[in-house]
Amino acid sequence: MVTLLILLVIAALIGGGVWQQSRIDAAKNATRSAENRLRAVEGERDTAREETRLARENVRVVTKYVDRVETVYVAGKTITKEIPVYVTPEADAACTVPLGFVRIHDAAAANTPPEPAPGDPDAPAAGIALSAVAETVADNYTQYHALGEQLIGLQDYVRTSCPAAQASP
């Protein structure tokens, strides 16, 4: 009977040890799980902070470039309004725009080689006055400057939002 009692005590001690170890393991697993959840939440927080920073930066860059492009268009409209002052009806009457000039200009605008000209390239282009050429040139340069400002805005955006672009000289 004493042997049985000793065996029962030993079994109880072993069972208690196993039970205690399982509680310790469960606590360790719960701690690891909590640490993993904490790391995930911290990662989400950091991502949200970075997205917020980029959104603020995007608004700044976009607003800056939109303002600059608007300034370009205002200047272009001002220049176009001044064409009659600088290219008078007398200048329109005195200067005929040759057909060859129109073909070269249109080819350059389309970025294509000019078509071979049938007839005399020095012949006047029907209905095209010097003031119309000035207006077209002013509009073309306005578009050029607007696109330039958009490119500058895009470059600013890339510099501020891409860490690799910031590291390069």
Side-chain angles (χ1 to χ4, degrees):
M1 174 90 140
V2 172
T3 306
L4 183 60
L5 188 59
I6 291 175
L7 284 175
L8 283 173
V9 168
I10 291 173
L13 287 174
I14 291 174
V18 169
W19 176 74
Q20 188 64 19
Q21 187 61 45
S22 70
R23 288 182 61 211
I24 289 170
D25 290 345
K28 285 180 181 177
N29 286 339
T31 301
R32 279 190 210 109
S33 178
E35 288 171 350
N36 288 341
R37 283 193 308 271
L38 177 62
R39 277 194 290 276
V41 167
E42 287 173 342
E44 290 173 7
R45 178 202 62 207
D46 293 345
T47 299
R49 283 181 177 165
E50 182 64 11
E51 287 173 353
T52 301
R53 183 191 71 75
L54 286 175
R56 286 184 183 135
E57 196 62 33
N58 289 349
V59 168
R60 185 191 67 76
V61 169
V62 168
T63 301
K64 180 179 174 182
Y65 109 78
V66 166
D67 290 347
R68 288 165 54 172
V69 169
E70 183 60 31
T71 301
V72 167
Y73 282 120
V74 167
K77 286 179 185 175
T78 302
I79 292 167
T80 301
K81 285 180 190 175
E82 294 295 316
I83 289 173
V85 173
Y86 292 94
V87 183
T88 62
E90 293 80 20
D92 273 341
C95 180
T96 58
V97 178
L99 188 57
F101 174 84
V102 173
R103 285 203 176 106
I104 289 294
H105 178 273
D106 292 348
N111 197 30
T112 59
E115 298 280 329
D120 183 10
D122 289 332
I128 298 182
L130 185 59
S131 57
V133 172
E135 185 174 345
T136 300
V137 170
D139 288 345
N140 289 346
Y141 277 116
T142 298
Q143 287 297 321
Y144 162 80
H145 289 294
L147 289 172
E149 291 300 333
Q150 289 174 359
L151 177 60
I152 291 167
L154 179 60
Q155 290 169 331
D156 287 347
Y157 170 77
V158 169
R159 266 191 227 93
T160 58
S161 63
C162 298
Q166 294 172 1
S168 63

